[in-house]
Amino acid sequence: MGNVCVIGAGYVGLVTGAGLAELGHHVVCVEADRKRLETLQAGGTLFHERGLPALIRRHRENGRLRFTDSYADAVPQSQFIFIAVNTPMGPKGEADTRYVFAAVDSILEHARAGQIIITKSTVPVGTGDRIMRRIDEAGLTARVKVVSNPEFLREGSAVSDFLSPDRIVVGSGARFAAARVARLYQSLAAPVVICSLRSAELAKYAANALLATRISFMNEISAICEAVDADVEDVSRVVGYDRRIGKTYLHAGLGWGGSCFPKDVRALAATAQAHGVRPSILEAAFEVNAQQRDRIFARLCSALRGANGSAPTVAVLGLAFKPGTDDVRESPALDIIMRLLDAGIAVQAHDPVAIESARGVVSDVKYCDDAYGALMGADAVLLATEWEEYRDLDWRHVLTLMHGRTIVDGRNHLDGKLLRSIGFRYESVGRRTPAARALAPDVEVASAAGGS
């Protein structure tokens, strides 16, 4: 088993460190922020992620995971040094790698022969080459090697993604270094792809960009469905049965957000433009994503035209960009909320875990500890994050709490048929209207050999 150092105990770094400890390695995480470090050293966690607190607690207790702010403490004893720092978006959409290279410089002050620097952060193509030049300038070319090992973690299921990955990607010009890094994961039943540094760096961006584009594509299809009275969920199911396409990321809704898709798609587009390539599909994916939020906002405004009083109120259910996390970065919910506030519309909101995160971004909202409190007196509802508990609300009781009767289901998550039968005006994304549903049955799936 190896001695591993992880630079940065943010989302990627903390999951990586705890995951490698679970695989049997001895890991020390370097965290420069004193407050965050104190939280980790006291046994706390920094964000909501299923299964992570138990993993950290177990390996702190057995000695395989610890936290420090000292490069001098962590780097010399480590064979493998992962860089997992933030790469925020720059002014033109490019990835800002200043923290990556600050980490590289600090590592090289304490580097020794036989070490491998591994970029886990999502970095632009060519970053590994720039790191190698830094190593060369430090006179350590023969002693320290560079490997790209991109992460493919989904917030809300990051621990299971780390321990049961679809693939492990290792990029390097030094085959023996790539092989050593691959052996860190040898206990996992996953294919290992060994490729060049640049291919590994680009693969991460390509994967996220393709997923974002699939979502935008289905959102554009949802607009067409509404125009022709087709049902986007029927269309998605039919398309998803095609083995060449698959069923994932084909759901229409409010669009994509979070810390990865917006940043990575912009960064890939910036890389393309810097090399003289126009990223037409990436530009369209962003445009459709913005249009989807425009459509939902317009529906809410339309629903409020007949609201009583001069200050109508919208209840927003869900603040995180997706269920299973407290991350509100680039959250579609917060985008819609800020538009509503700018239009003079009051907002009451609830989320099972993301209220404090949202409060730090938007303050002029009435945040409620339970969903029913957010729905009290509302003229309309926006379901913005598909938490399962919202399906299980007592919607008959909700009807008695609200002033209005409009529900805009931005995630196609609720039982529209039930809500309409209760008396709500239910609107979804790309689903058939009640009149169209009366003329055609819901899609059914049966064996072609079944017969009748």
Side-chain angles (χ1 to χ4, degrees), residues 167-438:
R167 74 291 203 194
I168 295 161
V169 178
V170 182
S172 182
R175 300 288 291 186
F176 75 92
R180 285 182 64 197
V181 172
R183 282 197 294 273
L184 289 173
Y185 303 99
Q186 63 185 352
S187 62
L188 299 179
V192 176
V193 180
I194 295 180
C195 57
S196 71
L197 265 173
R198 291 189 169 222
S199 294
E201 291 166 343
L202 183 57
K204 166 63 177 179
Y205 282 110
N208 276 359
L210 182 57
L211 294 174
T213 301
R214 282 170 68 102
I215 295 170
S216 287
F217 176 80
M218 286 310 298
N219 278 333
E220 187 161 283
I221 293 296
S222 77
I224 299 172
C225 285
E226 291 175 5
V228 302
D229 245 342
D231 191 305
V232 72
E233 293 195 346
D234 293 353
V235 173
S236 174
R237 192 184 304 190
V238 171
V239 170
Y241 274 109
D242 192 318
R243 288 189 295 271
R244 299 166 299 176
I245 299 172
K247 300 178 181 181
T248 59
Y249 287 82
L250 292 180
H251 300 291
L254 264 177
W256 36 269
S259 62
C260 292
F261 282 7
K263 176 175 71 74
D264 291 353
V265 175
R266 287 190 180 100
L268 181 56
T271 296
Q273 291 165 341
H275 289 80
V277 178
R278 182 182 174 185
S280 302
I281 292 176
L282 301 181
E283 291 170 351
F286 261 110
E287 182 180 354
V288 172
N289 202 50
Q291 289 173 353
Q292 199 71 355
R293 300 180 190 186
D294 293 341
R295 293 168 62 205
I296 296 297
F297 175 68
R299 287 188 182 183
L300 287 168
C301 291
S302 177
L304 294 171
R305 288 198 184 108
N308 296 325
S310 58
T313 299
V314 171
V316 177
L317 299 181
L319 298 165
F321 84 95
K322 62 180 286 190
T325 178
D326 60 352
D327 194 345
V328 298
R329 288 173 289 181
E330 300 277 354
S331 168
L334 295 195
D335 184 7
I336 299 293
I337 285 173
M338 288 187 278
R339 297 188 195 199
L340 292 169
L341 294 174
D342 287 343
I345 298 167
V347 176
Q348 301 172 173
H350 172 264
D351 188 283
V353 299
I355 287 178
E356 290 308 311
S357 298
R359 202 191 303 273
V361 179
V362 185
S363 58
D364 297 331
V365 172
K366 181 181 178 182
Y367 292 104
C368 302
D369 292 334
D370 68 272
Y372 295 110
L375 293 160
M376 180 75 71
D379 297 291
V381 180
L382 170 64
L383 188 289
T385 312
E386 60 273 36
W387 290 97
E388 193 60 33
E389 66 184 68
Y390 295 144
R391 286 184 64 93
D392 299 330
L393 291 175
D394 183 347
W395 287 99
R396 296 182 190 276
H397 177 55
V398 170
L399 190 63
T400 69
L401 299 176
M402 291 178 57
H403 285 160
R405 295 193 170 193
T406 299
I407 296 175
V408 178
D409 186 353
R411 297 297 183 180
N412 288 352
H413 182 60
L414 303 175
D415 185 340
K417 184 176 181 180
L418 170 65
L419 294 173
R420 289 191 184 102
S421 71
I422 292 171
F424 284 103
R425 178 188 169 201
Y426 173 79
E427 297 187 17
S428 55
V429 181
R431 287 169 165 175
R432 283 177 294 168
T433 63
R437 283 192 178 275

Side-chain angles (χ1 to χ4, degrees), residues 98-140:
R98 74 179 79 174
Y99 302 114
V100 171
F101 286 99
V104 169
D105 291 340
S106 295
I107 291 166
L108 293 180
E109 291 178 12
H110 306 283
R112 59 176 176 78
Q115 291 180 315
I116 301 174
I117 295 176
I118 305 156
T119 52
K120 181 64 78 170
S121 301
T122 301
V123 295
V125 177
T127 299
D129 295 336
R130 292 176 61 195
I131 293 173
M132 287 193 293
R133 286 196 290 273
R134 291 279 179 101
I135 293 171
D136 185 53
E137 290 166 3
L140 296 170

Side-chain angles (χ1 to χ4, degrees), residues 17-82:
L20 288 169
E22 180 73 1
L23 299 184
H25 306 294
H26 287 85
V27 181
V28 54
C29 291
V30 178
E31 175 52 57
D33 185 282
R34 192 70 203 175
K35 185 175 181 181
R36 292 164 63 92
L37 177 62
E38 289 173 355
T39 298
L40 293 167
Q41 289 179 330
T45 53
L46 306 173
F47 46 84
H48 178 85
E49 183 61 44
R50 185 173 63 248
L52 185 59
L55 212 60
I56 293 172
R57 183 171 57 253
R58 179 162 66 250
H59 296 302
R60 284 184 70 250
E61 291 173 354
N62 65 27
R64 286 210 294 262
L65 178 64
R66 65 184 184 91
F67 302 95
T68 183
D69 60 358
S70 171
Y71 280 82
D73 170 28
V75 171
Q77 67 173 325
S78 301
Q79 302 160 286
F80 305 92
I81 305 165
F82 286 83

